[in-house]
Amino acid sequence: MTRGILIAGNGSALSSAVAAEAGKRVEHFAAAFIPNRLQPVTGDARKIVQQAGDAQISLNWNPGSPVSARTLLLATENRLERIDDAILICVPPSVYKSPSELAATDVEVLVNDHIKGWFFLVKELVSVFKAKKAGNLAFVLSEFDTKHSLFDAKESRPDFVGLTIAASFRAFSQAMLDSAIGESFQIIGFSGPETCDEAAFAAFIFKTIEEGNKRNTGKLLRFGKRGLNLFNR
């Protein structure tokens, strides 16, 4: 019986690389990507969630719904028979708007898709891993270089949304890492710079998970621009 891998998060180049790496390791894996509803979807963005080939089983997920989170895990278990590894990826969408320019619907999307959704999904994943007393829950964050990402060269306004999402996910994942001691499954975090070799970063994520080193539980591992892997706490 093969490993059951679930990948969830933003549609991005990093998500695509992680999906491609999963495809090298298992015959099938499940993926649920969050579309960027805060910006028009371009052709390139559509391609990102389609590049993993036949190994990828794409599943629907409405992040703002607790029922959808439960349904996603049931669908994953039905298709793969099990969930061993859950890799949650946050690559914040960049939306150059000031707070006054955000419509009420923008705020709802921001909270539902990129903040509330992680709570619902992790709640269900923790229940699954606690029940089986095994599993790997990985949080992956693409770090913003605030010197460059706060203001885009083509924009005169700050990336208020992207920075907010990144800060929320990092705080949430750190809280989960802090709670990892004593758990029967592994909780591990990964972060990398905004610009890096996504394929190498994805390979590092899987290599670390597969090593099964219990000393990594509760730690945030940083992947450097030149492949230097640093431990952060």
Side-chain angles (χ1 to χ4, degrees):
M1 187 177 293
T2 187
R3 285 164 60 194
I5 299 175
L6 170 64
I7 299 170
N10 309 85
S12 65
L14 179 56
S15 297
S16 180
V18 172
E21 193 66 29
K24 297 177 183 178
R25 287 167 158 74
V26 293
E27 185 176 356
H28 295 291
F29 67 91
F33 292 119
I34 307 168
N36 185 358
R37 296 196 287 150
L38 295 173
Q39 286 182 330
V41 180
T42 64
D44 289 341
R46 292 191 185 97
K47 291 178 183 177
I48 287 174
V49 298
Q50 300 172 353
Q51 290 176 349
D54 296 336
Q56 179 174 310
I57 301 173
S58 297
L59 299 175
N60 294 324
W61 174 37
N62 175 10
S65 166
V67 174
S68 183
R70 192 173 304 114
T71 301
L72 172 60
L73 266 60
L74 289 173
T76 301
E77 290 176 322
N78 286 337
R79 299 296 295 272
L80 303 179
E81 299 185 9
R82 56 194 291 169
I83 301 175
D84 299 298
D85 306 324
I87 302 175
L88 312 184
I89 306 169
C90 179
V91 181
S94 295
V95 179
Y96 295 93
K97 293 182 178 180
S98 67
S100 62
E101 293 174 315
L102 286 172
T105 53
D106 292 336
V107 176
E108 288 183 356
V109 168
L110 167 64
V111 174
N112 287 336
D113 287 5
H114 302 288
I115 298 178
K116 185 192 294 184
W118 295 120
F119 283 83
F120 291 145
L121 184 58
V122 168
K123 177 180 183 298
E124 297 298 330
L125 285 167
V126 168
S127 294
V128 169
F129 290 151
K130 277 182 175 290
K132 64 187 295 186
K133 297 182 179 180
N136 295 292
L137 176 58
F139 295 88
V140 181
L141 173 64
S142 177
E143 297 280 10
F144 268 167
D145 179 348
T146 55
K147 292 182 180 178
H148 297 91
S149 296
L150 183 58
F151 287 92
D152 187 87
K154 298 179 181 179
E155 300 285 344
S156 60
R157 293 167 293 183
D159 183 6
F160 176 76
V161 171
L163 290 173
T164 300
I165 292 170
S168 173
F169 185 84
R170 175 153 190 147
F172 178 58
S173 58
Q174 187 60 62
M176 289 299 302
L177 293 171
D178 290 341
S179 70
I181 297 176
E183 291 288 2
S184 55
F185 60 95
Q186 179 165 273
I187 304 176
I188 187 169
F190 299 91
S191 71
E194 188 178 3
T195 55
C196 70
D197 184 337
E198 288 92 356
F201 188 11
F204 170 63
I205 291 168
F206 276 98
K207 180 177 181 295
T208 303
I209 291 174
E210 289 165 353
E211 286 175 350
N213 188 342
K214 293 184 178 180
R215 289 181 297 178
N216 288 332
T217 297
K219 289 184 177 179
L220 176 65
L221 310 181
R222 189 175 191 279
F223 182 81
K225 287 185 178 180
R226 297 181 180 178
L228 178 65
N229 306 321
L230 304 175
F231 288 81
N232 288 339
R233 182 63 180 164

